[in-house]
Amino acid sequence: MAGPAGRPADGEGVDRARRVAAVRGSERVLSSGLPVLTVVERLAALAAEAPAGCGLDGPVDVYGDGIVGELERRVAELLGTEAAAFFPTGTMAQQVALRCWAGRTGSPVVALHPMSHVETSERGAYAQVSGLRGVRLGGGPRPPSAADVRDLDEPFGTLVLELPLREAGFLLPTWEELTAVVEAAREREAVVHFDGARLWECASHFGVGLAEVAALADSVYMSFYKSLGGISGAALAGPATLVEEARAWRHRYGGEVFQQWPAALAALTGLERELPRLPSYVAHAAVVAAALEEGFRAAGVPWFRVGPRVPHTHQFRVWLPYPAGVLDEAGVSLAEETRTSVFGGWSPSDVPGLSFTEVTVASSALSWTPEAVVEAVGALLARVPAGTGGAG
């Protein structure tokens, strides 16, 4: 079965513990998608990799002071916003932002893409918890356009843009398209909120800095674990008055957690270590995507898709015409036998007979040459039994 929100599941017929063991035992990992450190290893790394001057010798934070406060200051500085607030989850940060904007604009209507995270993966929280109402903006596997915004046949108070649009394959508009969409929202006297869970790696595609991207929106949500390797947590950044109000709603929503220093410390580490590396991951993702296509052709796959062909971030999706369980078994057995792990978990797609996976190009993938990718793909597909294809 597919995981939540279309995320690749742990595997049909492949035990998660076996997959984790296979990745841990691999000498080469292209894209695993799994946290594979033990609790002891993660705790040791948390202390060993902490940035200098982050207060390890000081007291643990209590209700957001100390390390959490330092993280909030750092995020606001990076994004060029007046303030930022730490949240235990991105879902909470998003709902608080939308609720605050509804009160300020006087409109409970939120315009959003039907494939956006707010719509597909937060269990209708903006409607069920905050009493807001969504109107669908655009449709299909593409980012919303300025025309979509102008053509909405009813007023709305807040426009939500997910950057990148994950369920469409981590797609981004061009910089010109994004600025046009924001301008169209301004024409309709709406505020703009960026669902930027993965915004950290989007600046390369836009060709501008993070602060310039954030400046387009009235508020921005960012995740600390999706691209930065953190434990959990998110930030909501924007005007100081909005963030102050958001802190009050965070408390009401149950997000005023007594101690959050492990998550904040891991986030600070990610900002120092992973954030500067993201442009190299994005660049290498294009190399990996092209090599995967070459590998599939060389292996005689009857149909495949790598989308987008030139990734917009360091993540993209791959579709193959085989059952998810078969592909999982092939990948795990390859890792066990050769200590080479190519893909993470596979999931059935909406099209019968096709399965998909998400590829994340990070530090472990940088040493992979195109030739190595082609060779590994061939070795994996050689483990797919003949006659198991579901589409072609």
Side-chain angles (χ1 to χ4, degrees):
M1 297 175 61
R7 281 172 270 179
D10 288 337
E12 295 183 351
V14 177
D15 182 75
R16 184 179 188 276
R18 181 183 166 207
R19 283 185 57 215
V20 170
V23 175
R24 283 179 61 85
S26 294
E27 296 176 343
R28 297 189 305 162
V29 177
L30 184 65
S31 174
S32 74
L34 280 172
V36 298
L37 294 180
T38 65
V39 174
V40 170
E41 290 168 341
R42 192 67 174 96
L43 287 172
L46 198 61
E49 298 171 359
C54 66
L56 285 185
D57 295 329
V60 297
D61 84 279
V62 175
Y63 292 121
D65 60 5
I67 292 175
V68 174
E70 175 58 29
L71 175 61
E72 292 173 336
R73 288 188 292 273
R74 176 66 172 144
V75 169
E77 178 184 349
L78 281 169
L79 300 184
T81 59
E82 291 181 349
F86 181 85
F87 280 78
T89 72
T91 296
M92 184 184 294
Q94 300 260 76
Q95 303 319 312
V96 166
L98 297 182
R99 183 164 196 151
C100 290
W101 284 126
R104 287 163 180 251
T105 63
S107 171
V109 182
V110 179
L112 69 174
H113 192 284
M115 298 178 72
S116 66
H117 189 277
V118 172
E119 184 71 11
T120 65
S121 304
E122 298 181 9
R123 296 202 171 192
Y126 71 94
Q128 298 297 323
V129 178
S130 300
L132 308 181
R133 181 169 64 85
V135 293
R136 295 195 164 193
L137 176 71
R142 64 169 180 82
S145 68
D148 292 330
V149 175
R150 294 190 176 100
D151 290 345
L152 278 178
D153 57 5
E154 60 181 303
F156 58 94
T158 305
L159 169 65
V160 176
L161 296 175
E162 182 181 351
L163 303 173
L165 189 57
R166 177 191 181 173
E167 293 301 318
F170 303 96
L171 294 184
L172 287 167
T174 65
W175 179 249
E176 292 74 21
E177 289 168 340
L178 178 60
T179 55
V181 169
V182 171
E183 177 58 31
R186 304 288 187 218
E187 292 171 3
R188 301 198 60 167
E189 299 182 345
V191 298
V192 177
H193 170 73
F194 283 170
D195 175 347
R198 297 171 173 84
L199 195 65
W200 304 113
E201 65 268 28
C202 294
S204 296
H205 175 79
F206 293 136
V208 300
L210 273 173
E212 192 170 351
V213 178
L216 285 180
D218 297 283
S219 60
V220 183
Y221 141 63
M222 316 283 280
S223 173
F224 292 124
Y225 75 88
K226 290 184 172 68
S227 302
L228 301 181
I231 293 174
S232 62
L236 177 62
T241 55
L242 176 80
V243 173
E244 182 180 6
E245 181 184 1
R247 293 180 191 276
W249 280 108
R250 180 183 63 187
H251 197 169
R252 296 182 180 115
Y253 273 65
E256 195 77 0
V257 181
F258 179 53
Q259 292 186 19
Q260 300 185 97
W261 59 268
L265 182 57
L268 284 168
T269 299
L271 289 175
E272 179 173 277
R273 184 188 62 191
E274 289 299 303
L275 184 58
R277 297 177 181 176
L278 286 174
S280 67
Y281 298 167
V282 175
H284 198 58
V287 175
V288 171
L292 287 174
E293 287 196 340
E294 182 181 348
F296 296 147
R297 283 191 293 266
V301 177
W303 184 94
F304 63 85
R305 182 185 174 196
V306 175
R309 295 192 67 187
V310 178
H312 295 174
T313 72
H314 71 314
Q315 295 180 292
F316 55 94
R317 284 187 171 184
V318 171
W319 290 261
L320 289 176
Y322 308 109
V326 170
L327 291 167
D328 274 321
E329 178 59 38
V332 170
S333 64
L334 175 69
E336 291 170 337
E337 296 167 19
T338 69
R339 305 185 75 177
T340 296
S341 178
V342 183
F343 298 113
W346 290 83
S347 294
S349 77
D350 293 335
V351 179
L354 298 182
S355 300
F356 77 94
T357 190
E358 294 180 347
V359 177
T360 299
V361 174
S363 59
S364 66
L366 294 181
S367 63
W368 284 67
T369 64
E371 295 76 17
V373 174
V374 172
E375 179 184 1
V377 165
L380 184 147
L381 292 174
R383 288 167 167 75
V384 174
T388 58

